[in-house]
Amino acid sequence: MEKIQEDNRPPLEYVKGIPIIKYFAEALGPLQSFQARPDDLLISTYPKSGTTWVSEIVDMIYQKGDVEKCRRAPIFIRVPFLEFKGPGIPSGMEVLQVTPVPRIIKTHLPLALLPQTLLDQKVKTIYVARNAKDVAVSYYHFYRMAKVHPDPGTWDSFLEKFMAGEVSYGSWYHHVQEWEKLSHTHPILYLFYEDMKENPKREIQKILEFLGRSLPEETVDHIVHQTSFKEMKKNSMSNYITVPTDLMDQSISAFMRKGIAGDWKNTFTVAQNERFDADYAVQMAGCSLQFRMEL
Ligand code: A3P
């Protein structure tokens, strides 16, 4: 089995101008044969925006709040990761072939790389966006522990790469904006991580309405509890602990790291924050999206 050595983290590859993890770039060719179904549900996010959280919520909704059913497999099997490919682990395409319908599918792909079949089939999509500063910090720690990424270098140099869109999946600024634009013409529920932190029950109710489903209020309360950061952190079926350490080394940084809004304040220097804000104003000019940097 191919292993990733600490000193052999593969560099990102550019596909249609977008940098992406080498293994995932290799998966994009075979993805051309992927066939979406109208009853699929897509969960789309820029990395580190609450993908795992909303995936667990949706699986719990599909399983009507049955915790045991949600413990049937790790989250990346219950919610296959479309473009995933990695040494010694089944690819997203392989997992999807044995996933019962209706399927919940995760992707981080920007629209330039998204299989057209998902748009043609008008697949319902839940998009979760998180403020850029918390994403940058979370992504930095994720790069450190998930060795399919290149070495992140120092925090300062990583932040520069993040602003320049030279991290896996490219520009956060572009991703959140293009998916928001798409939400005007396609069945997309656009959610914010900070809103989920503020009032998870309200956001779960939005998801239920979007899916055309209803659940008793006590089941919704149960889902709120089971999908809290504290519960998911100790749940081996949602905290990625089953992934081999040569792929994700949680002794470097836990996958369920902090799970809060505004953690960036513990990492950004005053100078970094000023530089980031000035660049943000340019990159988000003319965009109506309003992100809360803290609660
Ligand atoms: P931090 O690194 O800031 O802690 P993704 O699933 O898109 O990779 O996002 C991971 C981020 O979401 C991590 O952020 C993780 O801790 C956070 N997260 C995961 N589950 C969560 C939950 N139930 N509540 C709040 N945050 C959660």
Side-chain angles (χ1 to χ4, degrees), residues 48-53 130 138 193 227 229 256-259:
K48 313 322 290 173
S49 301
T51 332
T52 315
W53 188 8
R130 185 183 192 187
S138 181
Y193 178 94
T227 59
F229 180 78
M256 297 286 168
R257 197 181 58 90
K258 286 198 179 174

